[in-house]
């Protein structure tokens, strides 16, 4: 079953938030999802410990470069989707996650600094493709974006297009509802517009994002 890795060589770009929104969106759609956490800070384990059991969603945390390969293999035999959240340092566990992946998702907001890190991560994917003699599909995702495209954002999007790198049309905007999942330790789908502004818009966006990722996995 599809193994999806959220990767970036830079910390704090939105991997964990995007992993959880994607996992919840797929689980909500009736798919069994296993989140694999390869980050010693374990934000997802903390989230689940407080949020409580979630329908169609399992989590295996505490993965290291020594344990990640076998954990991914085992999960891939039991769940519809495997989503790996890596640590933002481009370490050995990240390299192994990329090597095991059917799809790598590379999140960034529209800043040049993050774009340079995306290019570095694409380099890691390309090296892995050479070593494994296979293509590793990847998609760049814009996250934490505002309602209006800045000049910097447009320049980066054009540069990616010119390089022939695929950018997902469906990204995730900067929304309080995504932050609130961690703030209150709840599922995105348990939030409503009274708890947090535009919760419904975030739920619709995460659902569309999960559907778009599903479609890529089926291509
Ligand atoms: N779509 C979004 N809307 C609003 N806030 C977001 C969004 N995505 C991420 N954030 C916020 O940005 C910050 C970094 O996000 P996150 O922890 O997901 O990044 P990360 O890449 O997993 O970081 P690390 O490398 O430290 O693991 C957090 O404060 C998070 O709440
Ligand atoms: Mg993280």
């Amino acid at each position: 079953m599809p193994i999806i890795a959220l990767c970036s060589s830079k910390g704090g770009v939105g991997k964990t938030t995007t992993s959880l929104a994607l996992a919840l969106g797929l689980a909500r759609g009736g798919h069994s999802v296993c989140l694999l956490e390869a980050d010693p800070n374990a934000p997802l384990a903390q989230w689940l410990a407080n949020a409580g059991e979630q329908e169609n969603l399992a989590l295996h945390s505490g993965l290291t470069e020594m344990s990640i390969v076998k954990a991914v293999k085992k999960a891939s035999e039991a769940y519809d989707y495997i989503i790996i959240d890596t640590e933002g340092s481009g370490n050995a566990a990240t390299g192994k996650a990329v090597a095991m992946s059917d799809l790598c998702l590379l999140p960034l907001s529209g800043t040049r600094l993050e774009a340079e890190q995306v290019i570095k991560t694409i380099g890691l994917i390309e090296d892995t493709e050479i070593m494994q003699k296979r293509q590793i599909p990847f998609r760049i995702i814009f996250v934490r974006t505002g309602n209006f495209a800045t000049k910097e954002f447009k320049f980066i999007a054009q540069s990616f297009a010119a390089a022939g790198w695929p950018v997902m049309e469906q990204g995730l905007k900067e929304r309080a509802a995504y932050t609130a999942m961690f703030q209150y330790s709840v599922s995105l789908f348990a939030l409503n517009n009274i708890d947090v502004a535009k919760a419904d818009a975030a739920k619709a966006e995460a659902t569309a994002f999960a559907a778009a990722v599903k479609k890529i996995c089926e291509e």
Side-chain angles (χ1 to χ4, degrees):
M1 288 297 155
I3 298 163
I4 302 164
L6 275 286
C7 310
S8 105
S9 50
K10 183 183 184 306
V13 297
K15 294 179 298 297
T16 302
T17 306
T18 308
S19 298
L20 185 57
L22 174 61
L24 291 169
L26 288 168
R28 180 86 172 174
H31 305 288
S32 65
V33 180
C34 185
L35 270 168
L36 295 178
E37 182 165 61
D39 178 351
N41 291 319
L44 291 170
Q46 279 175 37
W47 176 83
L48 194 67
N50 294 320
E53 209 169 293
Q54 303 288 316
E55 199 177 0
N56 291 331
L57 186 65
L59 169 73
H60 293 183
S61 194
L63 301 188
T64 64
E65 68 169 282
M66 300 305 290
S67 61
I68 191 166
V69 170
K70 290 185 182 75
V72 171
K73 184 173 184 296
K74 196 169 168 207
S76 71
E77 288 158 3
Y79 296 92
D80 295 339
Y81 289 90
I82 317 305
I83 300 172
I84 312 171
D85 181 29
T86 62
E87 194 187 355
S89 63
N91 58 11
T94 305
K96 288 183 176 180
V98 168
M100 297 286 288
S101 289
D102 298 304
L103 175 66
C104 290
L105 298 178
L106 282 44
L108 82 157
S109 66
T111 69
R112 183 143 189 173
L113 202 67
E114 290 189 10
E116 280 164 12
Q117 297 303 319
V118 163
I119 294 168
K120 221 167 132 183
T121 308
I122 292 171
L124 169 68
I125 294 170
E126 287 172 346
D127 283 357
T128 311
E129 288 181 323
I130 293 166
M131 289 189 285
Q132 293 196 317
K133 298 187 178 70
R134 69 161 184 126
Q135 294 281 307
I136 302 174
F138 71 89
R139 296 289 187 279
I140 296 163
I141 325 159
F142 283 106
V143 298
R144 289 165 34 228
T145 45
N147 285 329
F148 302 101
T150 61
K151 252 189 185 170
E152 193 180 14
F153 175 91
K154 284 182 193 160
F155 174 77
I156 291 165
Q158 278 165 8
S159 307
F160 287 158
W165 291 326
V167 177
M168 277 185 76
E169 244 174 69
Q170 178 69 58
L172 297 180
K173 284 187 179 169
E174 170 122 39
R175 293 182 187 277
Y178 298 127
T179 311
M181 293 191 292
F182 290 96
Q183 191 180 351
Y184 303 118
S185 292
V186 288
S187 166
L188 180 64
F189 293 95
L191 291 167
N192 61 49
N193 290 343
I194 298 164
D195 300 324
V196 59
K198 298 192 175 167
D200 287 346
K203 288 187 253 184
E205 186 176 62
T207 302
F209 177 59
V213 170
K214 182 181 172 195
K215 197 165 165 235
I216 294 165
C217 290
E218 287 168 353
E219 275 169 10

